[in-house]
Amino acid sequence: MADLVTPAFPRGTTPSRRLVAAGLIRRTPGRTLTVRVTPAGVTGAIAKTGGAR
């Protein structure tokens, strides 16, 4: 039976692009959560927002 698995990149080659950063922002009443992931590590912050009027 033939091998049906194909690698994402042929052997001996590297992708021309790579992930630099990924993150998310989540807003809830009164707070904002920000998380950022980079090759150097993960950072995050929770900030109070100005409340609803």
Side-chain angles (χ1 to χ4, degrees):
M1 181 171 201
D3 185 9
L4 301 177
V5 178
T6 304
F9 299 100
R11 289 185 184 181
T13 64
T14 57
S16 59
R17 298 179 352 170
R18 63 185 172 98
L19 177 65
V20 175
L24 66 90
I25 297 173
R26 181 176 180 186
R27 292 183 176 93
T28 58
R31 290 188 184 162
T32 300
L33 168 68
T34 305
V35 177
R36 182 174 52 196
V37 181
T38 65
V42 179
T43 60
I46 299 174
K48 288 186 178 181
T49 57
R53 292 182 184 175

